Amino acid sequence: MKIALPDAEATTALGQAIAPLLAAGDSLLLYGPLGMGKSTLARGLIRALTTPDEDVPSPTFTLVQFYESDPPVAHFDLYRLTRPEEAFEIGLDEALDEGCAVIEWPERLGDDPGRFLGPDQLIIEISEQGDGRVATVSGVGRWETGLKELHV
């Protein structure tokens, strides 16, 4: 599924549309080069699960931020990982046991990121399209059929 993201508001809206569909154990994998809007999408999703004024900094330097919501959500930025196994050291497995995970730079998990994640993964790749962006959305596990519930 392709979704046009002409501006930051559309990227935020995509995050807001995904939020109510998330369940414990879900992984949201955000792919795309620097500056594509991965953090903007994550911020929209997290604020939809918590409060509209929730402080949602990019976890670039902290690597992970945890938020109390239903389900609990952890926001990971794996850009600075040097080994895939470091994801366990910063709590990826615990986050998925208790709630869901939004993961920027999942390619840092290696060639088989699924070995670190549960069976239910929503995959979004954001790329440039004209003056805006486009999100290519796909799913694994329950998200293979769950995408039909995503309305943006």
Side-chain angles (χ1 to χ4, degrees):
M1 162 189 308
K2 292 201 181 279
I3 300 170
L5 303 174
D7 52 32
E9 290 77 20
T11 305
T12 298
L14 177 57
Q16 292 168 333
I18 293 167
L21 304 176
L22 288 174
D26 284 351
S27 300
L28 171 56
L29 309 179
L30 300 175
Y31 290 90
L34 285 169
M36 282 296 114
K38 297 180 298 290
S39 292
T40 300
L41 190 150
R43 192 170 293 114
L45 181 146
I46 292 164
R47 286 182 175 156
L49 288 173
T50 58
T51 64
D53 59 346
E54 179 77 40
D55 183 27
V56 184
S58 175
T60 301
F61 295 103
T62 59
L63 302 181
V64 63
Q65 294 283 337
F66 294 93
Y67 299 92
E68 291 187 26
S69 60
D70 185 20
V73 63
H75 181 193
F76 291 85
D77 184 326
L78 305 183
Y79 186 77
R80 294 180 40 223
L81 289 190
T82 57
R83 296 176 298 107
E85 293 75 22
E86 288 177 304
F88 291 122
E89 296 169 18
I90 60 173
L92 180 58
D93 50 342
E94 289 102 0
L96 291 170
D97 286 345
E98 299 170 14
C100 57
V102 176
I103 304 169
E104 296 185 47
W105 301 100
E107 55 269 42
R108 299 289 198 207
L109 294 173
D111 293 336
D112 182 18
R115 69 186 170 128
F116 296 98
L117 307 171
D120 302 315
Q121 302 163 30
L122 179 60
I123 302 154
I124 299 178
E125 183 171 348
I126 304 174
S127 57
E128 288 187 77
Q129 183 179 52
D131 291 336
R133 312 277 191 262
V134 64
T136 303
V137 183
S138 60
V140 175
R142 77 176 192 88
W143 283 101
E144 288 180 74
T145 56
L147 286 178
K148 65 182 176 200
E149 297 177 37
L150 180 60
H151 304 287
V152 182

mmCIF file of all heavy atoms in Angstrom, residues 43-76:
data_model
loop_
_atom_site.group_PDB
_atom_site.id
_atom_site.type_symbol
_atom_site.label_atom_id
_atom_site.label_comp_id
_atom_site.label_asym_id
_atom_site.label_seq_id
_atom_site.Cartn_x
_atom_site.Cartn_y
_atom_site.Cartn_z
ATOM 1 N N ARG A 43 6.151 10.497 16.484
ATOM 2 C CA ARG A 43 5.600 11.497 17.411
ATOM 3 C C ARG A 43 4.075 11.552 17.303
ATOM 4 O O ARG A 43 3.373 11.595 18.319
ATOM 5 C CB ARG A 43 6.233 12.856 17.103
ATOM 6 C CG ARG A 43 5.994 13.908 18.145
ATOM 7 C CD ARG A 43 6.852 15.162 17.906
ATOM 8 N NE ARG A 43 8.262 14.835 18.103
ATOM 9 C CZ ARG A 43 9.185 14.851 17.127
ATOM 10 N NH1 ARG A 43 8.862 15.185 15.904
ATOM 11 N NH2 ARG A 43 10.437 14.534 17.400
ATOM 12 N N GLY A 44 3.546 11.528 16.082
ATOM 13 C CA GLY A 44 2.092 11.538 15.896
ATOM 14 C C GLY A 44 1.444 10.318 16.512
ATOM 15 O O GLY A 44 0.400 10.404 17.165
ATOM 16 N N LEU A 45 2.066 9.156 16.330
ATOM 17 C CA LEU A 45 1.549 7.906 16.890
ATOM 18 C C LEU A 45 1.575 7.949 18.424
ATOM 19 O O LEU A 45 0.572 7.638 19.078
ATOM 20 C CB LEU A 45 2.391 6.741 16.376
ATOM 21 C CG LEU A 45 1.980 5.352 16.842
ATOM 22 C CD1 LEU A 45 2.236 4.351 15.744
ATOM 23 C CD2 LEU A 45 2.719 4.941 18.085
ATOM 24 N N ILE A 46 2.706 8.336 18.992
ATOM 25 C CA ILE A 46 2.846 8.335 20.454
ATOM 26 C C ILE A 46 1.895 9.340 21.088
ATOM 27 O O ILE A 46 1.241 9.038 22.097
ATOM 28 C CB ILE A 46 4.308 8.596 20.850
ATOM 29 C CG1 ILE A 46 5.171 7.390 20.428
ATOM 30 C CG2 ILE A 46 4.439 8.869 22.345
ATOM 31 C CD1 ILE A 46 6.660 7.652 20.411
ATOM 32 N N ARG A 47 1.762 10.507 20.496
ATOM 33 C CA ARG A 47 0.825 11.505 21.044
ATOM 34 C C ARG A 47 -0.622 11.032 20.932
ATOM 35 O O ARG A 47 -1.446 11.369 21.780
ATOM 36 C CB ARG A 47 1.028 12.848 20.366
ATOM 37 C CG ARG A 47 2.298 13.522 20.834
ATOM 38 C CD ARG A 47 2.506 14.874 20.216
ATOM 39 N NE ARG A 47 3.672 15.515 20.806
ATOM 40 C CZ ARG A 47 4.374 16.458 20.204
ATOM 41 N NH1 ARG A 47 4.013 16.898 19.000
ATOM 42 N NH2 ARG A 47 5.418 16.979 20.799
ATOM 43 N N ALA A 48 -0.939 10.245 19.920
ATOM 44 C CA ALA A 48 -2.288 9.687 19.804
ATOM 45 C C ALA A 48 -2.547 8.649 20.895
ATOM 46 O O ALA A 48 -3.681 8.475 21.337
ATOM 47 C CB ALA A 48 -2.500 9.073 18.423
ATOM 48 N N LEU A 49 -1.500 7.964 21.347
ATOM 49 C CA LEU A 49 -1.643 6.956 22.402
ATOM 50 C C LEU A 49 -1.565 7.550 23.806
ATOM 51 O O LEU A 49 -2.043 6.943 24.753
ATOM 52 C CB LEU A 49 -0.556 5.884 22.268
ATOM 53 C CG LEU A 49 -0.695 4.910 21.108
ATOM 54 C CD1 LEU A 49 0.538 4.028 21.015
ATOM 55 C CD2 LEU A 49 -1.951 4.058 21.265
ATOM 56 N N THR A 50 -0.929 8.716 23.933
ATOM 57 C CA THR A 50 -0.750 9.327 25.259
ATOM 58 C C THR A 50 -1.611 10.578 25.337
ATOM 59 O O THR A 50 -2.802 10.479 25.556
ATOM 60 C CB THR A 50 0.743 9.625 25.514
ATOM 61 O OG1 THR A 50 1.254 10.495 24.489
ATOM 62 C CG2 THR A 50 1.574 8.349 25.575
ATOM 63 N N THR A 51 -1.009 11.742 25.167
ATOM 64 C CA THR A 51 -1.743 13.010 25.150
ATOM 65 C C THR A 51 -1.218 13.864 24.004
ATOM 66 O O THR A 51 -0.048 13.727 23.615
ATOM 67 C CB THR A 51 -1.583 13.788 26.469
ATOM 68 O OG1 THR A 51 -0.203 14.158 26.613
ATOM 69 C CG2 THR A 51 -2.035 12.969 27.661
ATOM 70 N N PRO A 52 -2.034 14.765 23.471
ATOM 71 C CA PRO A 52 -1.592 15.590 22.343
ATOM 72 C C PRO A 52 -0.378 16.469 22.646
ATOM 73 O O PRO A 52 0.336 16.871 21.734
ATOM 74 C CB PRO A 52 -2.816 16.459 22.025
ATOM 75 C CG PRO A 52 -3.966 15.701 22.570
ATOM 76 C CD PRO A 52 -3.444 14.962 23.772
ATOM 77 N N ASP A 53 -0.145 16.756 23.934
ATOM 78 C CA ASP A 53 0.995 17.612 24.277
ATOM 79 C C ASP A 53 2.159 16.831 24.894
ATOM 80 O O ASP A 53 3.071 17.418 25.469
ATOM 81 C CB ASP A 53 0.554 18.743 25.202
ATOM 82 C CG ASP A 53 -0.066 18.240 26.499
ATOM 83 O OD1 ASP A 53 -0.395 17.049 26.585
ATOM 84 O OD2 ASP A 53 -0.221 19.060 27.420
ATOM 85 N N GLU A 54 2.150 15.500 24.749
ATOM 86 C CA GLU A 54 3.236 14.664 25.269
ATOM 87 C C GLU A 54 4.570 15.113 24.664
ATOM 88 O O GLU A 54 4.673 15.342 23.464
ATOM 89 C CB GLU A 54 2.987 13.193 24.917
ATOM 90 C CG GLU A 54 4.055 12.238 25.390
ATOM 91 C CD GLU A 54 3.965 11.926 26.877
ATOM 92 O OE1 GLU A 54 2.837 11.770 27.386
ATOM 93 O OE2 GLU A 54 5.016 11.841 27.519
ATOM 94 N N ASP A 55 5.591 15.259 25.502
ATOM 95 C CA ASP A 55 6.932 15.570 25.023
ATOM 96 C C ASP A 55 7.507 14.300 24.404
ATOM 97 O O ASP A 55 7.697 13.300 25.102
ATOM 98 C CB ASP A 55 7.804 16.060 26.182
ATOM 99 C CG ASP A 55 9.186 16.474 25.730
ATOM 100 O OD1 ASP A 55 9.341 16.870 24.555
ATOM 101 O OD2 ASP A 55 10.123 16.391 26.550
ATOM 102 N N VAL A 56 7.743 14.325 23.100
ATOM 103 C CA VAL A 56 8.228 13.142 22.382
ATOM 104 C C VAL A 56 9.517 13.524 21.646
ATOM 105 O O VAL A 56 9.505 13.807 20.451
ATOM 106 C CB VAL A 56 7.172 12.601 21.391
ATOM 107 C CG1 VAL A 56 7.670 11.320 20.731
ATOM 108 C CG2 VAL A 56 5.841 12.358 22.081
ATOM 109 N N PRO A 57 10.635 13.517 22.372
ATOM 110 C CA PRO A 57 11.898 13.825 21.703
ATOM 111 C C PRO A 57 12.362 12.647 20.858
ATOM 112 O O PRO A 57 11.989 11.502 21.116
ATOM 113 C CB PRO A 57 12.860 14.071 22.870
ATOM 114 C CG PRO A 57 12.326 13.211 23.972
ATOM 115 C CD PRO A 57 10.811 13.237 23.803
ATOM 116 N N SER A 58 13.171 12.934 19.865
ATOM 117 C CA SER A 58 13.773 11.853 19.098
ATOM 118 C C SER A 58 14.771 11.143 20.008
ATOM 119 O O SER A 58 15.586 11.789 20.656
ATOM 120 C CB SER A 58 14.496 12.400 17.866
ATOM 121 O OG SER A 58 15.170 11.360 17.210
ATOM 122 N N PRO A 59 14.729 9.821 20.082
ATOM 123 C CA PRO A 59 15.640 9.103 20.978
ATOM 124 C C PRO A 59 17.020 8.844 20.361
ATOM 125 O O PRO A 59 17.669 7.851 20.639
ATOM 126 C CB PRO A 59 14.894 7.796 21.253
ATOM 127 C CG PRO A 59 14.092 7.574 20.023
ATOM 128 C CD PRO A 59 13.717 8.951 19.507
ATOM 129 N N THR A 60 17.485 9.772 19.519
ATOM 130 C CA THR A 60 18.759 9.581 18.830
ATOM 131 C C THR A 60 19.902 9.336 19.809
ATOM 132 O O THR A 60 20.728 8.456 19.594
ATOM 133 C CB THR A 60 19.077 10.799 17.941
ATOM 134 O OG1 THR A 60 18.029 10.940 17.001
ATOM 135 C CG2 THR A 60 20.392 10.623 17.217
ATOM 136 N N PHE A 61 19.960 10.092 20.901
ATOM 137 C CA PHE A 61 21.077 9.948 21.828
ATOM 138 C C PHE A 61 20.766 9.022 22.989
ATOM 139 O O PHE A 61 21.654 8.354 23.507
ATOM 140 C CB PHE A 61 21.534 11.325 22.320
ATOM 141 C CG PHE A 61 22.081 12.143 21.191
ATOM 142 C CD1 PHE A 61 21.338 13.152 20.623
ATOM 143 C CD2 PHE A 61 23.324 11.857 20.646
ATOM 144 C CE1 PHE A 61 21.824 13.891 19.553
ATOM 145 C CE2 PHE A 61 23.823 12.583 19.569
ATOM 146 C CZ PHE A 61 23.065 13.604 19.020
ATOM 147 N N THR A 62 19.511 8.939 23.394
ATOM 148 C CA THR A 62 19.140 8.033 24.481
ATOM 149 C C THR A 62 18.866 6.626 23.961
ATOM 150 O O THR A 62 18.792 5.687 24.742
ATOM 151 C CB THR A 62 17.896 8.544 25.216
ATOM 152 O OG1 THR A 62 16.813 8.645 24.286
ATOM 153 C CG2 THR A 62 18.143 9.889 25.880
ATOM 154 N N LEU A 63 18.674 6.473 22.682
ATOM 155 C CA LEU A 63 18.381 5.221 21.968
ATOM 156 C C LEU A 63 16.955 4.730 22.169
ATOM 157 O O LEU A 63 16.402 4.095 21.287
ATOM 158 C CB LEU A 63 19.364 4.099 22.322
ATOM 159 C CG LEU A 63 20.838 4.383 22.062
ATOM 160 C CD1 LEU A 63 21.682 3.172 22.452
ATOM 161 C CD2 LEU A 63 21.082 4.747 20.620
ATOM 162 N N VAL A 64 16.346 4.995 23.328
ATOM 163 C CA VAL A 64 14.977 4.533 23.552
ATOM 164 C C VAL A 64 14.267 5.458 24.540
ATOM 165 O O VAL A 64 14.884 5.991 25.469
ATOM 166 C CB VAL A 64 14.948 3.063 24.056
ATOM 167 C CG1 VAL A 64 15.641 2.913 25.393
ATOM 168 C CG2 VAL A 64 13.531 2.527 24.109
ATOM 169 N N GLN A 65 12.980 5.654 24.301
ATOM 170 C CA GLN A 65 12.098 6.375 25.219
ATOM 171 C C GLN A 65 10.878 5.483 25.444
ATOM 172 O O GLN A 65 10.345 4.914 24.494
ATOM 173 C CB GLN A 65 11.624 7.705 24.614
ATOM 174 C CG GLN A 65 12.708 8.714 24.393
ATOM 175 C CD GLN A 65 13.140 9.393 25.672
ATOM 176 O OE1 GLN A 65 12.407 9.458 26.646
ATOM 177 N NE2 GLN A 65 14.359 9.897 25.676
ATOM 178 N N PHE A 66 10.456 5.367 26.694
ATOM 179 C CA PHE A 66 9.292 4.552 27.040
ATOM 180 C C PHE A 66 8.127 5.469 27.402
ATOM 181 O O PHE A 66 8.316 6.487 28.058
ATOM 182 C CB PHE A 66 9.610 3.633 28.222
ATOM 183 C CG PHE A 66 10.644 2.593 27.897
ATOM 184 C CD1 PHE A 66 11.988 2.826 28.139
ATOM 185 C CD2 PHE A 66 10.281 1.381 27.334
ATOM 186 C CE1 PHE A 66 12.949 1.879 27.835
ATOM 187 C CE2 PHE A 66 11.235 0.423 27.018
ATOM 188 C CZ PHE A 66 12.568 0.673 27.275
ATOM 189 N N TYR A 67 6.916 5.094 26.992
ATOM 190 C CA TYR A 67 5.709 5.879 27.248
ATOM 191 C C TYR A 67 4.629 4.983 27.819
ATOM 192 O O TYR A 67 4.418 3.869 27.333
ATOM 193 C CB TYR A 67 5.210 6.529 25.952
ATOM 194 C CG TYR A 67 6.225 7.468 25.349
ATOM 195 C CD1 TYR A 67 7.141 7.012 24.399
ATOM 196 C CD2 TYR A 67 6.297 8.797 25.752
ATOM 197 C CE1 TYR A 67 8.097 7.850 23.861
ATOM 198 C CE2 TYR A 67 7.248 9.651 25.216
ATOM 199 C CZ TYR A 67 8.146 9.170 24.276
ATOM 200 O OH TYR A 67 9.098 10.000 23.748
ATOM 201 N N GLU A 68 3.957 5.499 28.833
ATOM 202 C CA GLU A 68 2.827 4.774 29.413
ATOM 203 C C GLU A 68 1.601 5.087 28.587
ATOM 204 O O GLU A 68 1.196 6.236 28.447
ATOM 205 C CB GLU A 68 2.626 5.187 30.871
ATOM 206 C CG GLU A 68 3.740 4.707 31.768
ATOM 207 C CD GLU A 68 3.467 4.974 33.235
ATOM 208 O OE1 GLU A 68 2.283 5.068 33.622
ATOM 209 O OE2 GLU A 68 4.449 5.087 33.979
ATOM 210 N N SER A 69 1.037 4.058 28.009
ATOM 211 C CA SER A 69 -0.159 4.184 27.187
ATOM 212 C C SER A 69 -0.797 2.809 27.120
ATOM 213 O O SER A 69 -0.352 1.882 27.779
ATOM 214 C CB SER A 69 0.207 4.699 25.788
ATOM 215 O OG SER A 69 1.107 3.817 25.140
ATOM 216 N N ASP A 70 -1.845 2.683 26.324
ATOM 217 C CA ASP A 70 -2.506 1.400 26.168
ATOM 218 C C ASP A 70 -2.542 1.054 24.676
ATOM 219 O O ASP A 70 -3.366 1.613 23.955
ATOM 220 C CB ASP A 70 -3.918 1.447 26.736
ATOM 221 C CG ASP A 70 -4.592 0.083 26.708
ATOM 222 O OD1 ASP A 70 -3.873 -0.929 26.623
ATOM 223 O OD2 ASP A 70 -5.836 0.038 26.757
ATOM 224 N N PRO A 71 -1.665 0.188 24.197
ATOM 225 C CA PRO A 71 -0.627 -0.541 24.926
ATOM 226 C C PRO A 71 0.571 0.370 25.204
ATOM 227 O O PRO A 71 0.733 1.400 24.545
ATOM 228 C CB PRO A 71 -0.222 -1.656 23.949
ATOM 229 C CG PRO A 71 -0.458 -1.056 22.597
ATOM 230 C CD PRO A 71 -1.668 -0.158 22.761
ATOM 231 N N PRO A 72 1.414 -0.021 26.186
ATOM 232 C CA PRO A 72 2.641 0.751 26.402
ATOM 233 C C PRO A 72 3.461 0.759 25.116
ATOM 234 O O PRO A 72 3.465 -0.214 24.362
ATOM 235 C CB PRO A 72 3.374 -0.030 27.502
ATOM 236 C CG PRO A 72 2.317 -0.840 28.169
ATOM 237 C CD PRO A 72 1.297 -1.149 27.105
ATOM 238 N N VAL A 73 4.133 1.882 24.876
ATOM 239 C CA VAL A 73 4.918 1.995 23.637
ATOM 240 C C VAL A 73 6.339 2.438 23.974
ATOM 241 O O VAL A 73 6.550 3.260 24.855
ATOM 242 C CB VAL A 73 4.240 2.953 22.629
ATOM 243 C CG1 VAL A 73 4.140 4.357 23.157
ATOM 244 C CG2 VAL A 73 4.935 2.929 21.285
ATOM 245 N N ALA A 74 7.290 1.847 23.274
ATOM 246 C CA ALA A 74 8.684 2.238 23.379
ATOM 247 C C ALA A 74 9.140 2.707 22.001
ATOM 248 O O ALA A 74 8.835 2.074 20.988
ATOM 249 C CB ALA A 74 9.537 1.064 23.849
ATOM 250 N N HIS A 75 9.836 3.830 21.981
ATOM 251 C CA HIS A 75 10.314 4.428 20.734
ATOM 252 C C HIS A 75 11.831 4.252 20.688
ATOM 253 O O HIS A 75 12.555 4.822 21.500
ATOM 254 C CB HIS A 75 9.927 5.904 20.714
ATOM 255 C CG HIS A 75 10.333 6.643 19.480
ATOM 256 N ND1 HIS A 75 10.300 8.008 19.432
ATOM 257 C CD2 HIS A 75 10.760 6.229 18.266
ATOM 258 C CE1 HIS A 75 10.699 8.408 18.225
ATOM 259 N NE2 HIS A 75 10.990 7.342 17.512
ATOM 260 N N PHE A 76 12.297 3.453 19.738
ATOM 261 C CA PHE A 76 13.717 3.139 19.592
ATOM 262 C C PHE A 76 14.290 3.852 18.373
ATOM 263 O O PHE A 76 13.662 3.873 17.321
ATOM 264 C CB PHE A 76 13.928 1.630 19.385
ATOM 265 C CG PHE A 76 13.619 0.796 20.588
ATOM 266 C CD1 PHE A 76 12.320 0.387 20.852
ATOM 267 C CD2 PHE A 76 14.629 0.420 21.461
ATOM 268 C CE1 PHE A 76 12.025 -0.390 21.958
ATOM 269 C CE2 PHE A 76 14.345 -0.362 22.572
ATOM 270 C CZ PHE A 76 13.045 -0.769 22.821
#
